Amino acid sequence: MMMRPFFHRLASVAGLAFCVSLPAMAWAEKSQTSMPVNPPVVVQKNVAASSATNGFSSDLERGAYLAKAGDCIACHRGNANNAPPYAGGYAIASPMGSIISPNISPSKTAGIGNYSEQDFSRALRKGIRKDGAYLYPAMPYTAYAGLSDQDVHALYVYFMQGVAPVDEKPQAVTKLSFPFNLRLLMSGWNLLFLHDKPFKNNPKVSDEINRGHYLVDTLAHCSTCHSPRNFFMAESRRRYLTGTSVGGWYAPNITPDETEGVGSWSEEEIARYLKTGHVNGKAQAAGSMAEAIEYSLRFLSDADLRAMAAYLKTVAPQNLTGAKQSRFSFENKTPAHLVDVEPVTSRTAIAMSDAGSVDGQLLYENACASCHGRNGEGTADHFYPSLTHNSATGGLVADNLVMTILNGIERKSNDGIAGMPSYADELNDSQIAAIANYVISRFGNKAIPPVSIQQVADFRANKSTPALLMKMMPWLLSGAGFVFIVVMIIGFFRLKSLFKKRPSH
């Protein structure tokens, strides 16, 4: 029994040894800059942050707006639909396991009611709780680090005075595998990847672009989903906003590249998408982006949404895949008269539940054509979108199409509720793969690799491709442990030799 604390200490040292084992790689990544065409420089007046004061009569009112802009409730909501705001308990998927969001209501027993403004600021900007424990970057403190003092103060006022206390902690707790369960390791990660300097305006661009930059990079923390991760699972600043997989969904390239990004979108279209979650003939928000629309972006002022769109247009365009055609431009090239299956306008038990029915065209006609049309044209009012000129069918991968079939869509926006039912219980993995492959081959990018049955099974089970760090962890831990043991042995024999040389009395 007494050996257990020793092994925990040994494991901690081994983990810390790993954390600092590759400083050259990490420092090289840190030294890269983000990709705006006009990078910000240090000036005294912070127009981007101060513009948030316009139209608000108090810090409480302003803080409520900023909490919406920061999308705080999306992660800190409870699991039940009627859970009190900011009660916590929501499970955030990560490559290391699920991270459970804490209660951030002003409860003094279960939330952050005992936090001073300094404690609050340290948690928000540096990822350190009041008790000194480190937060995981599922909480986007790497983005919030750029918040202005004025905004941090307003947020503190709102959370302490404008939120009802919830005196109950979430039942679930975060349980990550070793060594990621050692929160102390985050101190080394923060040293390498936390750029904790407040945002500064760029005098070379307009106030609107500065405001948009501030919103995109801090409160809205867009890069946490849209930027790929490096070996250490920190955002790759060299590939800022170029797209990556997040929890099964693919967050696409949103740089202004004409083919791989959103360069073909106007500023008005970008702002409209942020507000409503859809732009006809281009894209519809689903998954985490739909949540961002529902809980955050639709509440922002039109001026702030236009500012975000204006800034995104200034980011350096990047095309990392060599794509030659925009994901929004693929059309249906199959003449209607060549489709010999009659459309069915309602789901039928035989077509939907027969495990032997894996004909993608037949399944599409029975499950999808009644809403999206036999030729994928959607409805005239665009409530059910066209499957041509659609980022879900014309992108680099079929992930978003498969995830939509499995999970459905429910997106609340200022112009109503957009929805699609989940087919997870009605279609098996083979059938979903068949539908996805049919839809892509007929309406989308035929260069997308075919969807396999195993891919669908992995998406259904919320399994994602492990990060390289996760794959290498057993080897890294073995190496770190070996180095530690060698050091201990050398130290032991060194001490033994010193005792032998000590003169006797």
Side-chain angles (χ1 to χ4, degrees):
M1 294 292 291
M2 294 300 293
M3 292 298 290
R4 184 174 296 177
F6 168 76
F7 282 117
H8 278 307
R9 287 194 294 270
L10 177 62
S12 299
V13 175
L16 285 171
F18 155 70
C19 190
V20 297
S21 62
L22 297 173
M25 289 177 57
W27 186 257
E29 185 66 38
K30 181 183 179 183
S31 65
Q32 301 294 333
T33 58
S34 59
M35 302 306 298
V37 171
N38 297 302
V41 298
V42 176
V43 294
Q44 294 300 314
K45 185 182 178 184
N46 194 340
V47 175
S50 62
S51 62
T53 63
N54 296 336
F56 298 116
S57 60
S58 66
D59 283 332
L60 179 61
E61 184 180 340
R62 179 165 161 238
Y65 179 84
L66 294 171
K68 286 282 199 308
D71 204 14
C72 303
I73 201 169
C75 287
H76 290 279
R77 68 187 191 271
N79 287 321
N81 290 332
N82 59 349
Y86 304 110
Y90 183 74
I92 303 168
S94 81
M96 297 86 69
S98 292
I99 296 173
I100 309 301
S101 64
N103 179 330
I104 59 168
S105 78
S107 167
K108 292 184 177 296
T109 57
I112 60 172
N114 293 315
Y115 276 50
S116 66
E117 185 168 335
Q118 183 179 5
D119 296 330
F120 181 80
S121 176
R122 188 170 72 149
L124 203 61
R125 291 161 150 174
K126 297 182 181 295
I128 303 175
R129 300 187 315 207
K130 181 179 176 64
D131 62 4
Y134 286 84
L135 299 172
Y136 294 109
M139 152 64 171
Y141 61 85
T142 53
Y144 295 157
L147 289 173
S148 69
D149 291 341
Q150 306 99 298
D151 283 356
V152 171
H153 174 70
L155 283 164
Y156 180 74
V157 170
Y158 168 69
F159 275 101
M160 293 302 161
Q161 300 178 22
V163 175
V166 181
D167 296 323
E168 184 177 350
K169 292 184 177 181
Q171 294 182 350
V173 295
T174 301
K175 293 181 179 179
L176 303 185
S177 59
F178 176 81
F180 303 107
N181 60 331
L182 304 173
R183 290 179 181 266
L184 183 59
L185 293 182
M186 292 307 305
S187 61
W189 191 92
N190 289 347
L191 183 66
L192 294 170
F193 301 113
L194 176 59
H195 309 268
D196 57 348
K197 294 181 179 180
F199 176 88
K200 299 297 181 182
N201 287 314
N202 180 357
K204 298 180 181 179
V205 298
S206 67
D207 289 349
E208 180 183 48
I209 291 174
N210 273 317
R211 175 63 177 165
H213 188 182
Y214 179 76
L215 288 166
V216 166
D217 275 6
T218 58
L219 285 162
H221 54 276
C222 303
S223 64
T224 59
C225 285
H226 287 275
S227 292
R229 301 276 166 166
N230 63 22
F231 177 82
F232 294 96
M233 291 183 287
E235 292 177 35
S236 173
R237 297 173 67 80
R238 292 183 297 107
R239 295 179 291 168
Y240 177 67
L241 302 181
T242 57
T244 190
S245 294
V246 182
W249 299 89
Y250 189 81
N253 185 326
I254 56 171
T255 73
D257 181 76
E258 287 289 334
T259 51
E260 191 175 308
V262 293
S264 61
W265 294 40
S266 67
E267 288 185 20
E268 188 276 331
E269 286 176 320
I270 295 173
R272 181 166 15 116
Y273 181 81
L274 295 175
K275 189 179 187 71
T276 66
H278 65 88
V279 171
N280 298 336
K282 288 186 176 175
Q284 305 80 43
S288 297
M289 189 63 199
E291 291 181 354
I293 302 293
E294 178 174 347
Y295 292 108
S296 174
L297 296 171
R298 70 187 176 109
F299 296 103
L300 299 191
S301 67
D302 289 342
D304 275 349
L305 294 175
R306 287 194 301 269
M308 293 174 70
Y311 167 68
L312 288 173
K313 279 292 194 177
T314 71
V315 173
Q318 292 196 70
N319 185 331
L320 302 182
T321 65
K324 298 293 191 294
Q325 185 174 350
S326 167
R327 60 183 181 271
F328 319 110
S329 63
F330 290 91
E331 299 178 342
N332 175 19
K333 295 183 179 180
T334 304
H337 70 274
L338 295 181
V339 182
D340 56 6
V341 177
E342 290 299 317
V344 179
T345 58
S346 63
R347 304 183 193 183
T348 63
I350 295 177
M352 299 297 291
S353 63
D354 180 9
S357 177
V358 290
D359 185 311
Q361 180 175 323
L362 177 64
L363 289 166
Y364 175 83
E365 293 287 344
N366 282 277
C368 313
S370 60
C371 293
H372 293 285
R374 190 179 185 188
N375 295 307
E377 68 274 20
T379 55
D381 61 0
H382 303 287
F383 184 84
Y384 294 107
S386 169
L387 296 178
T388 63
H389 295 277
N390 191 314
S391 62
T393 60
L396 302 172
V397 291
D399 298 16
N400 291 352
L401 175 62
V402 174
M403 288 290 285
T404 299
I405 298 171
L406 277 171
N407 297 285
I409 296 175
E410 183 176 351
R411 182 184 69 246
K412 294 179 182 178
S413 67
N414 293 343
D415 54 357
I417 299 176
M420 169 182 157
S422 163
Y423 286 89
D425 294 332
E426 300 181 61
L427 298 172
N428 62 34
D429 297 341
S430 299
Q431 292 172 320
I432 291 176
I435 289 179
N437 287 325
Y438 170 76
V439 167
I440 290 169
S441 65
R442 186 161 178 222
F443 307 124
N445 181 6
K446 294 179 176 59
I448 295 177
V451 177
S452 70
I453 298 172
Q454 185 59 52
Q455 279 180 286
V456 179
D458 288 345
F459 284 133
R460 189 189 292 271
N462 294 319
K463 291 182 180 179
S464 56
T465 303
L468 180 59
L469 177 61
M470 301 297 294
K471 294 179 180 179
M472 295 184 63
M473 185 53 64
W475 298 96
L476 292 169
L477 286 178
S478 298
F482 176 76
V483 170
F484 175 75
I485 291 171
V486 169
V487 171
M488 291 289 288
I489 292 173
I490 293 173
F492 173 77
F493 283 107
R494 177 62 177 165
L495 287 173
K496 186 176 180 180
S497 65
L498 289 175
F499 276 115
K500 285 184 177 181
K501 292 178 181 179
R502 180 180 298 177
S504 59
H505 296 283

